[in-house]
Amino acid sequence: SATLRSSNSRYPARIDLNAKPPMSTLLMIRHGQAGATAENYDELSPLGFEQAARAGAWLKAHGRTFAATFSGT
């Protein structure tokens, strides 16, 4: 395998150039459809609930796991 030797103490003595580094993934999902009026603009519509459920089902079916999740208000 291809290796790189390092004389810098901050890095490993040998680096495997063929190894794939761990890759981070940022997954952003926008909320589903919300209400259309001033009274309910911040509430999901019936379609929005269906969209959220479908997104969750897709994530589960594809075995997606998360180290952290964040949501806004």
Side-chain angles (χ1 to χ4, degrees):
S1 76
T3 59
L4 176 66
R5 294 185 190 277
S6 173
S7 60
N8 187 327
S9 62
R10 292 177 44 196
Y11 299 101
R14 297 182 75 182
I15 301 170
D16 183 356
L17 299 177
N18 295 320
K20 295 187 184 230
M23 187 63 112
S24 296
T25 301
L26 174 64
L27 178 63
M28 298 174 72
I29 300 176
R30 189 176 185 276
H31 61 76
Q33 182 186 63
T37 65
E39 293 80 32
N40 66 356
Y41 76 96
D42 60 347
E43 298 173 9
L44 291 179
S45 68
L47 176 59
F49 278 105
E50 179 183 339
Q51 292 167 332
R54 293 174 102 191
W58 184 91
L59 292 168
K60 183 176 182 179
H62 288 85
R64 300 304 295 250
T65 59
F66 302 94
T69 58
F70 302 90
S71 66
T73 57

